[in-house]
Amino acid sequence: MRNISLKIIKIKLKSVKILQFKKMEAIMKLFGTDGVRGEAGSFLSAEVAMKVAMAAGIYLKSSAVTNKILVGKDTRRSGYMIENAIVCGLTAVGYDVVEIGPMPTPAIAFITENMRCDAGIMISASHNSFEDNGIKFFDAHGDKFPTDVEKKIEDIYFNQEILNEAQAKGKSIGKAKRIDDVIGRYIVQLKNSFPVEMTLQGMRIVLDTANGAAYKVGPTVLEELGAEVIIMHNKPTGFNINEGCGALHTNELCENVIKYRADLGIALDGDADRLVVVDEKGEVVDGDQLLGALGLHLHQKKLLKGGGIVATVMSNQGLDDYMKSNGLKLFRSNVGDKHVLEIMKKEGINFGGEQSGHVIMHDFAKTGDGLVSALQVLALIIDKKGSASSLLRPFPLYPQKLININVKVKKPLKDIKGLDEKLAELESENIRHLIRYSGTENKLRILLEAKNEKIMNKKMDEMVEFFQKALNA
């Protein structure tokens, strides 16, 4: 009788676990617009990181060549926890791991291919504050995993049977080693992207590394090329990444460009895959104007391939007009640098980016690289013998406004009552709109653009009020 009772209890417990698992599978989506990202220790726990690594390792095993996976990270304290969990998950399914410590995301893309690894993993939440962290994947060629591959990894993650069966045993368990000198390879790659006949001698640059992954490599590259560098926020503590600094917080950088009479200010984000440029007057250069200036410069130097550039649906109509006026095309992708890259490959284009500062110079980098992009901006300024303020704003922008609203739940936009009527009102006023949820945060992003700024601002106030009631009631 006792054995029967135990059996019944076990069956009940198993049923509860199955129900819990199915419920979690129904509500949980791992991958967003840029890998797996969330609050470290809650959404992105050590267990989740380990299982994601196992699932990725299982997927990659079928086409493994070298049986090595590279792992890097930015400067967040939680990177230690997640790194160890990832190493545990990969070695558990038989993969060998190469750990290289804090390095920019684009360095992971480059070194993965350079060291002939089957894949690369970057532990970073990019521009987010230190509480968050993330996991980004790169294939053997240094390209980010496409959405269909992420879906396959996600399916494996939720299949406990596959995870159990893939456990390595005995001599098939993987090993891990740490390499501390790969920074030199990346520095050489960066310097090779800068015209060999040029030098930064005589240029004064203020560099904000956001207490992030480029706190060593950024100043080193600029100084080796001859620049005088004033360095800001290059003392990471594990908790100060992006804190009041970097690409999202440029006030101090603007002030220091004026204070030190610098030729240029450069702000990176926490993993250095994006940049914001400040001209010699201490004013931030718009990301779309930067794309236009760089794109035309490449075209004039006969270095632009594909007859155009790629930007996203967020980019200003002024960029589109500027490209057309110079006989070039503007292709638009979904938001996210991997989507930009997909269109670039499809159209045979070697340059593109996002207005937020992700700039892809595909002849030199596999993904957005803040330092490669900064060097191309400097090359443009030197080549044209002008100032940043005169060269990096080659066309006027349509008035555009972007507001982020914090939301509790990402309710499908199609289910929001009255939204269709609101959008019809915008269109009747010739206001371009883009409304979407963030792929990495609980935020709704509202972008409006129009020639009449006064009407646009009025409509933005109305849209913000509408969504705050609809989503946070």
Side-chain angles (χ1 to χ4, degrees):
M1 187 71 178
R2 184 182 178 187
N3 289 339
I4 293 172
S5 299
L6 286 171
K7 187 174 182 181
I8 291 171
I9 290 170
K10 286 178 180 178
I11 290 170
K12 285 182 177 179
L13 287 172
K14 186 176 180 182
S15 298
V16 171
K17 286 181 180 178
I18 290 171
L19 287 171
Q20 288 176 337
F21 173 76
K22 286 184 176 178
K23 183 179 179 183
M24 180 179 71
E25 183 177 14
I27 64 172
M28 185 176 182
K29 188 177 186 299
L30 289 175
F31 288 89
T33 54
D34 196 13
V36 179
R37 189 181 300 185
E39 185 179 26
S42 56
F43 173 80
L44 188 51
S45 64
E47 180 183 7
V48 167
M50 182 184 71
K51 283 182 65 178
V52 168
M54 289 177 68
I58 292 166
Y59 170 79
L60 291 163
K61 270 288 184 178
S62 61
S63 58
V65 176
T66 63
N67 204 54
K68 294 189 302 183
I69 292 181
L70 187 81
V71 177
K73 60 183 179 180
D74 64 21
T75 56
R76 296 163 210 267
R77 173 69 65 86
S78 59
Y80 292 103
M81 173 188 75
I82 295 169
E83 179 184 38
N84 285 324
I86 286 174
V87 171
C88 180
L90 292 173
T91 55
V93 296
Y95 253 110
D96 295 337
V97 183
V98 179
E99 300 171 82
I100 63 172
M103 287 287 283
T105 289
I108 304 305
F110 165 68
I111 298 168
T112 294
E113 183 177 45
N114 188 260
M115 292 187 67
R116 308 300 191 269
C117 295
D118 289 336
I121 296 175
M122 178 64 180
I123 304 165
S124 175
S126 193
H127 60 275
N128 291 29
S129 61
F130 84 90
E131 294 93 347
D132 292 338
N133 217 325
I135 304 172
K136 305 179 185 183
F137 291 94
F138 297 89
D139 66 20
H141 304 293
D143 294 322
K144 286 185 178 179
F145 281 5
T147 304
D148 63 324
V149 171
E150 292 177 340
K151 177 64 169 61
K152 290 174 183 176
I153 292 172
E154 199 163 295
D155 289 343
I156 296 170
Y157 175 97
F158 286 115
N159 192 321
Q160 192 61 46
E161 186 178 347
I162 293 177
L163 294 175
N164 291 339
E165 290 177 354
Q167 298 280 335
K169 300 176 181 65
K171 293 182 178 180
S172 64
I173 295 173
K175 62 181 184 293
K177 65 177 179 179
R178 185 173 293 277
I179 300 177
D180 296 319
D181 61 353
V182 294
I183 189 172
R185 299 186 190 209
Y186 183 51
I187 288 172
V188 170
Q189 168 71 1
L190 289 170
K191 290 167 70 176
N192 284 343
S193 73
F194 191 69
V196 68
E197 70 276 9
M198 289 185 180
T199 174
L200 296 179
Q201 199 73 34
M203 295 200 77
R204 181 178 293 168
I205 300 167
V206 183
L207 174 66
D208 183 347
T209 66
N211 293 313
Y215 76 102
K216 288 183 180 178
V217 67
T220 300
V221 168
L222 294 175
E223 287 170 352
E224 287 189 7
L225 288 170
E228 177 188 352
V229 185
I230 293 100
I231 308 167
M232 299 170 52
H233 303 295
N234 66 328
K235 295 179 173 58
T237 64
F239 306 117
N240 61 356
I241 188 170
N242 300 315
E243 185 180 15
C245 60
L248 292 187
H249 307 280
T250 56
N251 286 345
E252 189 180 351
L253 175 61
C254 293
E255 291 169 1
N256 280 336
V257 167
I258 297 295
K259 177 181 176 181
Y260 293 104
R261 299 187 298 280
D263 298 290
L264 199 71
I266 297 168
L268 305 172
D269 66 343
D271 66 339
D273 66 349
R274 64 191 277 189
L275 89 158
V276 169
V277 171
V278 174
D279 66 23
E280 81 285 356
K281 295 180 180 179
E283 297 177 359
V284 173
V285 177
D286 180 84
D288 283 328
Q289 289 180 318
L290 190 68
L291 288 174
L294 285 170
L296 186 63
H297 181 62
L298 290 172
H299 175 63
Q300 290 170 341
K301 303 293 285 186
K302 302 190 185 307
L303 297 173
L304 186 67
K305 300 172 185 174
I309 71 172
V310 181
T312 73
V313 291
M314 300 280 287
S315 281
N316 196 282
Q317 183 64 33
L319 176 59
D320 204 331
D321 295 345
Y322 182 64
M323 289 291 104
K324 287 177 182 175
S325 69
N326 285 282
L328 298 170
K329 296 178 183 178
L330 176 68
F331 297 86
R332 290 183 185 263
S333 75
N334 290 329
V335 176
D337 59 340
K338 71 178 180 181
H339 298 301
V340 173
L341 189 56
E342 286 173 5
I343 301 295
M344 287 172 62
K345 289 180 177 179
K346 179 183 176 183
E347 301 294 337
I349 293 171
N350 63 339
F351 177 74
E354 299 183 275
Q355 64 177 181
S356 60
H358 289 112
V359 180
I360 304 174
M361 313 285 301
H362 205 234
D363 289 347
F364 306 117
K366 297 289 184 174
T367 185
D369 190 323
L371 289 169
V372 164
S373 304
L375 291 175
Q376 303 314 305
V377 171
L378 289 163
L380 182 158
I381 292 170
I382 293 169
D383 185 66
K384 292 186 176 293
K385 299 179 175 61
S387 65
S389 61
S390 64
L391 296 172
L392 301 181
R393 293 187 180 85
F395 60 89
L397 295 165
Y398 283 38
Q400 188 183 81
K401 195 167 188 177
L402 172 65
I403 288 184
N404 297 317
I405 300 176
N406 293 322
V407 297
K408 296 174 183 177
V409 178
K410 294 180 179 179
K411 184 178 180 180
L413 295 178
K414 63 181 177 60
D415 295 339
I416 298 176
K417 189 176 180 180
L419 179 57
D420 288 343
E421 289 78 6
K422 284 289 183 183
L423 297 181
E425 286 179 23
L426 295 178
E427 289 160 10
S428 69
E429 297 283 359
N430 294 316
I431 298 175
R432 190 172 78 90
H433 56 81
L434 180 65
I435 299 169
R436 68 180 186 90
Y437 289 109
S438 166
T440 58
E441 302 171 273
N442 280 341
K443 291 182 178 180
L444 177 75
R445 307 197 192 283
I446 306 173
L447 174 72
L448 300 184
E449 180 183 282
K451 288 185 176 181
N452 190 315
E453 187 171 10
K454 185 176 179 180
I455 294 176
M456 180 193 69
N457 286 332
K458 180 176 180 292
K459 289 298 180 182
M460 176 62 84
D461 291 340
E462 292 176 6
M463 294 301 292
V464 169
E465 183 180 1
F466 171 80
F467 279 114
Q468 284 176 336
K469 289 179 180 178
L471 297 174
N472 292 320

